[in-house]
Amino acid sequence: MHVLDKTQMERLEAKAVNSAKTRQPLYAPRKKIFPKRASGSFRRFKWLVMAITLGIYYLMPWLRWDRGPFAPDQAVLIDLANRRFYVFFIEIWPQEFYYVAGLLMMAGIGLFLITSTVGRAWCGYTCPQTVWVDLFLVVERAIEGDRNARMKLNAGRWTPRKLMLRVSKHAIWLVIAAATGGAWILYFADAPTLIGDVFNGTAASVAYVTIAVLTATTYTFGGLMREQVCTYMCPWPRIQAAMLDENSLTVTYNDWRGEPRSRHAKKVQAAGQPVGDCVDCNACVAVCPMGIDIRDGQQLECITCALCLDACDGVMNKLGKERGLISYATLSDYNANMAVATAGGSGPVNPSLVRTADSTFSARLAHFHIRKIFRPRTFFYMGAWTAVGLALISSLLTRDRLEINVLHDRNPQFVTLSDGSIRNGYTVKLLNMIPEPRTIVVTMQGLQGAEMSVVGSDLPAARFFAIAVEPDRLNMLKVFVRQPVDQIRGIAQTFKFRVEDRASFESDEYTATFNAPEIAR
């Protein structure tokens, strides 16, 4: 421990693993990172986000939603067997997959919006890789201790104690990974039933394969690879530069007030030399889960988790200095303050230029205001995100839950009956898209003198008929339409099949073609 200026601050022997000044070779062996536990508002916010996201993931399949006796009661269910997607009161059919596409568009635009305003906040707080790494680190700290204890254990020789700690840690990691894979499959079938089948050994083989694959990937990515996934596998660090501009908030080391840094500030000041607020304690390096030194500036590895901000604020509190040596700041504000600290760029950073005689900050310094993030790019992303969302909501509120599709027989296109009348065949598909049984009335509009008959039914030939359709099912009928020869007005006449549920007043129409031979006119 190195004591700084008779305070209780210690200098941590922490060195950036991923340094902006010295890039590691692509195929170099991984250097382990032992992040120290941080405390502060951003760390508490990360705990909250982790609790919410993991709670949603693990508990959502167990929530129930009553849809009546003819539909599953699992709140969120991807029913591949019946080709349905249930989300609480919303039911999505295969032909309505555009809703999923719309949600993916909203997710992409939302990611652009978040990045352009507050940097890689998605990566730092809600990315699954970040959340599971945090969870795995909780287990690691609980078993092996905080940073110094883990480093000592890792460097020490193998003993029964070290073996016991490592086995315990990896065993719990595997349990978490298996629970992650197990929770995933519960979204695709009734959760209580499937979990029983899994433990009884009677589940489908695809369930066990999925659990095994997700267990392996979660354990490997969250426990073994960690920051390497973000650095080498994820494309977003390379894309984010295009999303940021001079008014984007990012975690920034304010070297305009921190430099020149010194471990012995009082001695340097007594010698009449300038000294900044940074005491070079390395607290920001020690807590970084990516193993970088934020004082090197913006780096590809930084996930904007702001744990370095919490660590630095804690040091400033102990030293009696203003918080914010590391803070969320925009590039425009940073450049403006650097211009003040360097006298317009004519010299090195001089701390005396950013403070007044009574040691308060100069009024010339730029400060962040929330209105700075509301700029044309922000409004564009917000407008696009809102437009897609409103379009989806509007479509959901106005969509029909009753549909008809008709397929004309291709061979033969028509048949001449013994009385000279012409008959066309159609495959009529009635879609009842609610979990309740319905009686659907099918009516033929147009095609003068024609009548319908349903193959395999004792319904009399007529211009309309009523038929029962099971809940959440497609009813496919073979329908013949016959028209007397003296009523035919062309070789291709159009008419409509109209379906109606008179109980709910829902209806739908399909325009079909009736074909006839040339001689029939």
Side-chain angles (χ1 to χ4, degrees):
M1 177 188 297
H2 297 279
V3 179
L4 302 176
D5 296 330
K6 298 181 180 181
T7 70
Q8 296 302 310
M9 280 306 306
E10 62 172 324
R11 183 176 189 271
L12 299 173
E13 297 300 331
K15 184 178 180 181
V17 171
N18 296 309
S19 175
K21 298 178 180 178
T22 306
R23 285 289 175 189
Q24 294 293 321
L26 181 60
Y27 298 105
R30 174 178 181 256
K31 293 183 179 180
K32 289 187 177 181
I33 298 173
F34 302 91
K36 179 180 175 64
R37 179 169 180 174
S39 61
S41 56
F42 289 100
R43 178 64 266 185
R44 289 191 293 272
F45 182 64
K46 279 176 68 68
W47 289 133
L48 177 62
V49 172
M50 184 176 77
I52 292 174
T53 52
L54 290 176
I56 291 173
Y57 179 76
Y58 287 117
L59 300 179
M60 186 68 75
W62 302 96
L63 296 181
R64 302 291 101 180
W65 188 270
D66 185 13
R67 300 184 182 91
F70 302 103
D73 63 352
Q74 188 163 310
V76 179
L77 177 63
I78 304 173
D79 189 357
L80 296 179
N82 295 303
R83 294 181 293 177
R84 303 288 187 277
F85 184 17
Y86 298 95
V87 183
F88 294 98
F89 63 92
I90 300 173
E91 178 184 354
I92 304 298
W93 282 55
Q95 65 270 27
E96 296 177 315
F97 193 78
Y98 51 83
Y99 288 114
V100 179
L103 289 176
L104 292 176
M105 289 178 60
M106 290 185 68
I109 297 171
L111 186 57
F112 295 162
L113 172 62
I114 293 297
T115 304
S116 67
T117 53
V118 290
R120 292 176 64 186
W122 158 262
C123 300
Y125 298 97
T126 54
C127 174
Q129 174 67 15
T130 298
V131 172
W132 263 269
V133 167
D134 263 359
L135 179 59
F136 278 35
L137 279 173
V138 169
V139 174
E140 186 172 272
R141 292 192 186 101
I143 294 176
E144 297 182 355
D146 205 359
R147 182 174 185 271
N148 290 339
R150 298 203 311 275
M151 292 176 66
K152 183 178 180 181
L153 181 69
N154 185 72
R157 63 185 181 87
W158 282 94
T159 63
R161 176 179 177 274
K162 180 175 180 178
L163 179 62
M164 180 189 68
L165 293 178
R166 287 292 170 86
V167 169
S168 300
K169 178 182 72 174
H170 287 274
I172 296 176
W173 281 0
L174 284 171
V175 170
I176 294 173
T180 302
W184 177 257
I185 66 170
L186 299 183
Y187 285 90
F188 296 85
D190 182 65
T193 303
L194 181 55
I195 201 68
D197 291 343
V198 168
F199 282 106
N200 292 333
T202 57
S205 58
V206 67
Y208 296 104
V209 171
T210 302
I211 293 175
V213 170
L214 290 179
T215 298
T217 53
T218 304
Y219 171 77
T220 302
F221 294 163
L224 305 180
M225 296 183 66
R226 294 184 180 175
E227 77 287 345
Q228 289 184 308
V229 174
C230 303
T231 303
Y232 299 112
M233 298 177 63
C234 180
W236 192 242
R238 282 85 181 166
I239 299 173
Q240 66 164 338
M243 298 290 104
L244 300 176
D245 60 28
E246 65 277 3
N247 292 310
S248 300
L249 275 175
T250 57
V251 174
T252 305
Y253 167 62
N254 295 310
D255 48 3
W256 50 265
R257 64 167 279 197
E259 300 296 324
R261 67 187 78 161
S262 174
R263 304 177 192 175
H264 309 287
K266 291 183 178 179
K267 293 181 180 180
V268 175
Q269 286 178 327
Q273 298 177 8
V275 62
D277 288 345
C278 179
V279 294
D280 204 17
C281 63
N282 288 336
C284 56
V285 182
V287 300
C288 181
M290 298 299 294
I292 68 170
D293 188 342
I294 192 62
R295 294 172 296 181
D296 291 339
Q298 285 297 313
Q299 297 160 68
L300 175 147
E301 293 85 1
C302 181
I303 59 173
T304 318
C305 63
L307 295 183
C308 56
L309 195 157
D310 278 341
C312 188
D313 280 351
V315 173
M316 293 297 105
N317 289 340
K318 291 182 179 180
L319 295 178
K321 297 179 181 291
E322 298 92 340
R323 295 158 64 96
L325 177 58
I326 299 175
S327 66
Y328 267 101
T330 66
L331 179 61
S332 60
D333 288 344
Y334 171 82
N335 288 337
N337 292 338
M338 278 296 290
V340 174
T342 60
S346 60
V349 173
N350 187 347
S352 64
L353 297 178
V354 300
R355 294 185 183 273
T356 60
D358 58 356
S359 296
T360 59
F361 284 119
S362 170
R364 295 188 298 158
L365 292 175
H367 299 282
F368 172 74
H369 191 278
I370 189 65
R371 65 174 177 270
K372 292 184 179 180
I373 68 174
F374 292 102
R375 54 197 191 279
R377 173 184 285 194
T378 306
F379 287 119
F380 173 78
Y381 288 141
M382 290 178 64
W385 188 85
T386 303
V388 176
L390 290 177
L392 292 178
I393 293 174
S394 176
S395 178
L396 278 172
L397 295 177
T398 59
R399 65 178 180 164
D400 292 326
R401 300 286 77 200
L402 175 64
E403 288 188 10
I404 179 173
N405 289 302
V406 179
L407 181 64
H408 194 291
D409 288 354
R410 299 184 63 182
N411 188 22
Q413 292 190 354
F414 58 85
V415 173
T416 302
L417 302 180
S418 58
D419 62 354
S421 60
I422 304 300
R423 187 183 72 187
N424 283 205
Y426 302 88
T427 299
V428 178
K429 299 178 181 179
L430 304 178
L431 284 80
N432 176 17
M433 302 171 71
I434 63 172
E436 297 176 6
R438 282 176 161 183
T439 298
I440 306 300
V441 178
V442 182
T443 305
M444 185 173 60
Q445 297 180 339
L447 207 61
Q448 184 176 353
E451 58 185 10
M452 300 182 294
S453 59
V454 181
V455 177
S457 171
D458 56 0
L459 294 172
R463 290 188 64 84
F464 71 92
F465 62 85
I467 192 163
V469 182
E470 295 180 0
D472 253 342
R473 287 293 181 269
L474 167 68
N475 196 347
M476 190 160 56
L477 308 172
K478 182 66 176 181
V479 176
F480 286 140
V481 175
R482 183 183 66 85
Q483 185 179 32
V485 66
D486 59 345
Q487 299 291 330
I488 295 176
R489 297 294 181 264
I491 61 174
Q493 304 172 83
T494 59
F495 68 102
K496 291 183 179 179
F497 285 102
R498 176 180 173 81
V499 292
E500 182 181 7
D501 177 8
R502 294 177 178 173
S504 64
F505 303 102
E506 286 187 90
S507 63
D508 193 25
E509 294 180 346
Y510 188 94
T511 300
T513 301
F514 186 87
N515 296 324
E518 184 77 22
I519 59 173
R521 289 190 295 168

